[in-house]
Amino acid sequence: VQLVQSGAELRNPGASMKVSCKASGYTFTSAYIEFVRQAPGQGLEWMGRIDPEDGGTKYAQKFQDRVAFAADTSTSTAYVELNSLRSEDTAVYYCLTIVVAASTVVASWGQGTQVTVSS
């Protein structure tokens, strides 16, 4: 199970960011993709999740007005888009999944994507 994320982004305040998370090594529609972030000096913050099977989403209340997740089953890629960026959104963004098959549980994280919001 492997998740590979897109590269670092530098954005101005008020702009949008979009990070991709390409999955491989398992059936993409069999497990949720979760998105979390970690700001400098802070702990992990859960942003929400998407079910690639039907596109269903659940967003953390803090982000629900300006975040969107998407999943493209043709490329096994999930996306997180965050709008109206502010300096506090500077963080490393991660995708992760937990795949259960028979009695085996595999947790996999993407490598992280640095997003910097600065004018």
Side-chain angles (χ1 to χ4, degrees):
V1 178
Q2 188 175 23
L3 300 175
V4 178
Q5 298 181 220
S6 49
E9 297 193 7
L10 175 62
R11 294 288 181 266
N12 292 326
S16 297
M17 63 149 230
K18 190 172 185 177
V19 173
S20 67
C21 172
K22 183 171 178 58
S24 62
Y26 72 102
T27 301
F28 183 57
T29 54
S30 68
Y32 293 164
I33 297 285
E34 313 270 346
F35 289 96
V36 301
R37 72 179 189 180
Q38 186 168 32
Q42 303 296 313
L44 290 170
E45 183 173 35
W46 183 72
M47 299 179 69
R49 66 170 182 261
I50 184 167
D51 181 351
E53 183 171 35
D54 61 9
T57 56
K58 183 173 179 65
Y59 300 121
Q61 186 171 10
K62 175 179 178 178
F63 300 103
Q64 62 185 6
D65 292 338
R66 58 190 187 101
V67 72
F69 302 145
D72 183 346
T73 56
S74 68
T75 60
S76 297
T77 303
Y79 299 89
V80 52
E81 183 170 9
L82 188 62
N83 304 309
S84 303
L85 291 170
R86 31 204 188 236
S87 59
E88 309 91 88
D89 294 316
T90 294
V92 179
Y93 288 75
Y94 297 93
C95 58
L96 63 139
T97 191
I98 298 176
V99 179
V100 179
S103 59
T104 300
V105 178
V106 177
S108 182
W109 290 68
Q111 82 274 21
T113 297
Q114 174 69 53
V115 176
T116 302
V117 182
S118 175
S119 55

